[in-house]
Each structure stands twice: as structure tokens, then as C-alpha cells.
């Protein structure tokens, strides 16, 4: 297994920069940079472990009482507390509680604003890097505080499911504000693609068009009031804000943490007599049925982060690598989905499993509107002669009913 990247700068994602396992190369003007293997990776092997430059919990996720460390997004509920809340069964007792790794006795609050951290180390690191700027002190619950007004506006225009957050942008500003070497952070953030349109393909990000101009203007005004800094004046202009908005929208990697999931994996690893194994598996199966009935699929503490190396990975509809968060925090593990040879490009999918099963036209629509490119992976090339119909249109043709993707969008920023 790859060793964790303790220094967030030790794996640099600049073209030509390398480490012992992977390197970032410039490919062409269309694709930009890509990540390539320098050694063999076997299926299931961890390619690297990376921490984000910045990360933030989704605002709706926090409002729904998903308790996460304000710095590393570690779930703060024990597995049993998490299971009780998600299942709606307040007296539920989990077997093998010793397998839960959450240590509530280590949790600490910011003494000024009372936001919670999983440890004193996370609290101190947050304070030293960005929280000094973002700490609202005793005004944490004041709806008229500029940061609260910004967050409330974001929730009002962006309903769940979130895939990005205005607070990721706020933390970028706060990190630069607090940094002694501001230029270094600006250079790091400049490595992320931040274009809001693809002129070659005449594609514009779907949430930066005329339809959302009023919402973007409102967010920019509130963002400026709460966070303006002379060193970052370019981020607060109309064009700069659009670029910043596009940066987190196209590069933000979703982060999901769960003490319950970690407990389940630990249960799976137990060596038990067959009867006890059957009983434990049956208990877990029933628990997930209860959770699905009560909560649905909204199970994890969720947020997003900006990862230098991971953001260098290009998309493929048949990826050879995937990201996961098995440590119940923001550490991203990139693992091989198939054997990877030295010199081979490491590709992930920007689509979830269900989206990858949709038609080529549907996949292209999602990638074009959210990531500003037209996919030419082997799967897409092999389907070039398929009808130009979305999956919904095919269903509508076959059944005489159904919604198109445009009907689902309405006027909210639900897919940033």
C-alpha cells in the first residue's frame, strides 16, 4: 500500500514534476495535462494517498446534522449513533462496538465559534491555515453575519444533491489570506483548470450562462462583502468569480466519510464461526434496509476538496482507477481498477456508475455541461455510430413517457 502523503506539497501536480510512482505530463491543448504510471500497479493496489489543499463539508449536509470534523471531514458520530439516527431506531445496539474507531473523548470545539474537530491537531491546523479568517466567534449563529448570509444564499440557489460548495471557495480565499507565502498558494491553485468555457468546442459551463446571472451576481456580492482581499482582487471581479466558480465546479472531488461504513468493513474482516457470521451479516443487511426506508441513499458526511494529483487524472468512461475515502477522513486513496503498466495514463471517471451505463449521448451531455469537454475514450469511440439520444429520450421513445434532463434542472444550481 502507498504511504500517506503527509506533506500536501510533497506530490506536486505540475507537468514534469514526478514522484516514484506517478508523473504529470502535458498531453495536448485539448486534454491539457494527464497522470501517468511510472511503475506497474496491480488491480486493487493503492496508487497513492493524497490530502486536499482545501476541503469543506456541504452546507446542506451539515444542516441535516451530519456531524463531521470541520477540518478533515471525519465523521464525529460513533457507528452506533450514526446507525440510530439514519435508521430512526434510537434504541438500536450494534454488535462489536469495539470496532468503531471514533474517539469522542478526543473531539474538541473551537473556543471562539464552537465548530467541532475530531482532535486537537485538526483544530490547530485549521486555525493556522484558514479558520482564523473564517471563525465567526460568538456570531456563529447570527443570520446577519456576512458569512452566514453567504451560506444561506448558497443554500437558497443550490438544493441537494450538492457536488460543490461556496465554502470551498471561501477556504481558498482564507488560506491565501493567512499564508505568509501567498504567492506559493496562488501558484498551487493556478494548477487547477478554471476555464468557464471551451472555445474550441463552443461549450460553456451550464451554470454560468444567462439563466443564472442574477444568482451569480448575488453570490459574488455576498462573497466580496464577507471575504474581499486586495491580494486576491482578481477573484472578486465578475470574470474572476466565474473562473473561481468554475474551478471548484470542475475540479472539486466529492468526499464521503462514514463511521458506520468503517464499522461494517471491520465487521467484514472478522474471522467468525459460520453461524455467527450469518447472524452478523443478517443484522447488517437488515440495518441497511431500515436505513434505506428511513433515510434513503443520503448516508454519509459529504463534502468536496481540491486534490492536486487527483485533479490531474483525465476522464474515461472505462476508468482504470478510482478514488475512495476508507480512513473516514479526507485522505483520498487512488486505487487501480485494472492492471496498469509503466507509461500508461491513469484515468478516473467523472461519472458515477449509473451515469457510465447511460447512452454515449447522455454521457457526453453531462461531461459537456459540467466539465467542458467531449469524451473520446475507447468506449465513446466504439459507440460513435449509436443514435444521438439521451437515455431518457430512449425510454420515452420506448414507453411514451418520461422526463428529459432539461426538465429536471429547473432554475436551481442543483448540479454544480
Amino acid at each position: 500500500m502507498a504511504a500517506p502523503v503527509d506533506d500536501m506539497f510533497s506530490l506536486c501536480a505540475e507537468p514534469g514534476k514526478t514522484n516514484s510512482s506517478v508523473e504529470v505530463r502535458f498531453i495536448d491543448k485539448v486534454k491539457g495535462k494527464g497522470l501517468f504510471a511510472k511503475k506497474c500497479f496491480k488491480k486493487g493496489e493503492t496508487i497513492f494517498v493524497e490530502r486536499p489543499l482545501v476541503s469543506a463539508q456541504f452546507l446542506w449536509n451539515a444542516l441535516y446534522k451530519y456531524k463531521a470534523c470541520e477540518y478533515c471531514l471525519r465523521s464525529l458520530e460513533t457507528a452506533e449513533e450514526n446507525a440510530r439516527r439514519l435508521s430512526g431506531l434510537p434504541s438500536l445496539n450494534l454488535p462489536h462496538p469495539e470496532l468503531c474507531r471514533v474517539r469522542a473523548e478526543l473531539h474538541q470545539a473551537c473556543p471562539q465559534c464552537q465548530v467541532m474537530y475530531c482532535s486537537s491537531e485538526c483544530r490547530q491546523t485549521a486555525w493556522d491555515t484558514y479558520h482564523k479568517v473564517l471563525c465567526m466567534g460568538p456570531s456563529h449563529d447570527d443570520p446577519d453575519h456576512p458569512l452566514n448570509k453567504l451560506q444561506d444564499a448558497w443554500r437558497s440557489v443550490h438544493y441537494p444533491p450538492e457536488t460543490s460548495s461556496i465554502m470551498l471557495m471561501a477556504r481558498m480565499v482564507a488560506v491565501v489570506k493567512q499564508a505568509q507565502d501567498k504567492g506559493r498558494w496562488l501558484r498551487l491553485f493556478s494548477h487547477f483548470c478554471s476555464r468557464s468555457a471551451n472555445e474550441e468546442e463552443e461549450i460553456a459551463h451550464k451554470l454560468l450562462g444567462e439563466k443564472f446571472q442574477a444568482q451569480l451576481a448575488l453570490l459574488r456580492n455576498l462573497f466580496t462583502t464577507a471575504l474581499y482581499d486586495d491580494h486576491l482582487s482578481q477573484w472578486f471581479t465578475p470574470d474572476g468569480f466565474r473562473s473561481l466558480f468554475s474551478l471548484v465546479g470542475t475540479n472539486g472531488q466529492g468526499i464521503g466519510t462514514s463511521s458506520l461504513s468503517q464499522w461494517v468493513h471491520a465487521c467484514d474482516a472478522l474471522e467468525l464461526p459460520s453461524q455467527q457470521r450469518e447472524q452478523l451479516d443478517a443484522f447488517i443487511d437488515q440495518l441497511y434496509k431500515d436505513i434505506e426506508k428511513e433515510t434513503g441513499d443520503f448516508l454519509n458526511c459529504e463534502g468536496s476538496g481540491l486534490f492536486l494529483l487527483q485533479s490531474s487524472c483525465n476522464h474515461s468512461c472505462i476508468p482504470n482507477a478510482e478514488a475512495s475515502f476508507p480512513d473516514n477522513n479526507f485522505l483520498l486513496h487512488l486505487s487501480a481498477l485494472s492492471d496498469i503498466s509503466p507509461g500508461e495514463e491513469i484515468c478516473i471517471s467523472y461519472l458515477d456508475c449509473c451515469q457510465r451505463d447511460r447512452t454515449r449521448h447522455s454521457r457526453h451531455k453531462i461531461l459537456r455541461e459540467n466539465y467542458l469537454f467531449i469524451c473520446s475514450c475507447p468506449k465513446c469511440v466504439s459507440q460513435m455510430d449509436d443514435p444521438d439520444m439521451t437515455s431518457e429520450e430512449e425510454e420515452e421513445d420506448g414507453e411514451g413517457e418520461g422526463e428529459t434532463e432539461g426538465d429536471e434542472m429547473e432554475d436551481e444550481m442543483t448540479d454544480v
Side-chain angles (χ1 to χ4, degrees), residues 46-70:
T46 300
I47 300 169
F48 60 76
V49 181
E50 183 182 17
R51 73 172 65 207
L53 296 183
V54 289
S55 61
Q57 186 181 10
F58 293 146
L59 295 180
W60 279 105
N61 191 263
L63 193 67
Y64 288 157
K65 304 192 184 305
Y66 286 76
K67 299 176 183 178
C69 173
E70 203 265 349

Side-chain angles (χ1 to χ4, degrees), residues 5-291:
V5 183
D6 292 324
D7 178 353
M8 67 176 68
F9 306 119
S10 63
L11 289 179
C12 188
E14 299 177 61
K17 297 289 185 177
T18 66
N19 63 63
S20 60
S21 300
V22 296
E23 66 178 342
V24 180
R25 297 183 200 162
F26 180 78
I27 301 174
D28 56 42
K29 289 183 178 180
V30 176
K31 274 195 168 186
K33 61 189 177 184
L35 192 68
F36 292 81
K38 292 184 66 182
K39 52 171 277 190
C40 289
F41 293 101
K42 295 297 184 184
K43 180 179 179 179
E45 186 178 351
T46 300
I47 300 169
F48 60 76
V49 181
E50 183 182 17
R51 73 172 65 207
L53 296 183
V54 289
S55 61
Q57 186 181 10
F58 293 146
L59 295 180
W60 279 105
N61 191 263
L63 193 67
Y64 288 157
K65 304 192 184 305
Y66 286 76
K67 299 176 183 178
C69 173
E70 203 265 349
Y71 175 66
C72 77
L73 272 66
R74 183 183 300 277
S75 174
L76 298 179
E77 291 178 303
T78 65
E80 188 166 87
E81 291 169 339
N82 193 218
R84 287 175 174 178
R85 179 172 61 82
L86 293 176
S87 67
L89 301 172
S91 59
L92 178 72
N93 294 311
L94 293 187
H96 304 288
E98 73 281 358
L99 296 179
C100 176
R101 300 180 191 173
V102 174
R103 297 292 174 260
E105 68 274 11
L106 299 178
H107 297 174
Q108 293 198 11
C110 169
Q112 279 76 34
C113 68
Q114 303 306 308
V115 298
M116 292 300 298
Y117 298 92
C118 68
S119 65
S120 59
E121 291 81 7
C122 277
R123 187 187 75 178
Q124 191 61 50
T125 303
W127 183 259
D128 291 342
T129 53
Y130 65 84
H131 189 62
K132 195 182 300 182
V133 166
L134 298 180
C135 182
M136 290 184 270
S139 301
H140 187 260
D141 296 318
D142 179 2
D144 291 325
H145 189 285
L147 280 172
N148 280 331
K149 292 174 78 170
L150 176 64
Q151 294 180 66
D152 184 60
W154 175 260
R155 283 190 295 262
S156 73
V157 301
H158 192 312
Y159 296 114
E162 289 175 278
T163 54
S164 187
S165 175
I166 197 76
M167 293 312 293
L168 203 57
M169 298 161 63
R171 289 197 183 177
M172 291 173 67
V173 171
V175 162
V176 177
K177 274 188 166 187
Q178 284 191 216
Q180 289 186 334
D181 189 348
K182 300 182 190 302
R184 185 186 194 192
W185 277 97
L186 288 171
R187 287 192 299 274
L188 286 167
F189 289 134
S190 74
H191 294 313
F192 296 98
C193 174
S194 60
R195 62 181 179 177
S196 56
N198 179 339
E199 290 80 9
E200 292 87 358
E201 300 291 349
E202 297 183 352
I203 302 170
H205 196 289
K206 68 178 181 181
L207 297 179
L208 295 177
E210 293 182 6
K211 186 176 182 180
F212 296 107
Q213 286 307 299
Q215 294 173 333
L216 284 169
L218 169 65
L219 288 171
R220 187 178 72 85
N221 288 336
L222 293 171
F223 191 76
T224 302
T225 300
L227 295 162
Y228 182 80
D229 185 84
D230 284 338
H231 290 96
L232 297 168
S233 58
Q234 73 274 16
W235 283 357
F236 294 90
T237 66
D239 286 343
F241 185 74
R242 285 164 59 89
S243 293
L244 195 62
F245 196 88
S246 183
L247 187 154
V248 299
T250 56
N251 294 279
Q253 164 66 46
I255 299 170
T257 64
S258 170
S259 56
L260 178 60
S261 175
Q262 200 173 39
W263 173 84
V264 169
H265 286 303
C267 285
D268 290 342
L270 287 175
E271 294 184 6
L272 298 171
S274 58
Q275 185 175 1
Q276 291 183 34
R277 168 54 62 191
E278 289 175 8
Q279 290 174 343
L280 181 56
D281 289 348
F283 175 88
I284 293 172
D285 287 344
Q286 184 58 50
L287 173 59
Y288 275 115
K289 288 177 183 176
D290 293 336
I291 290 173

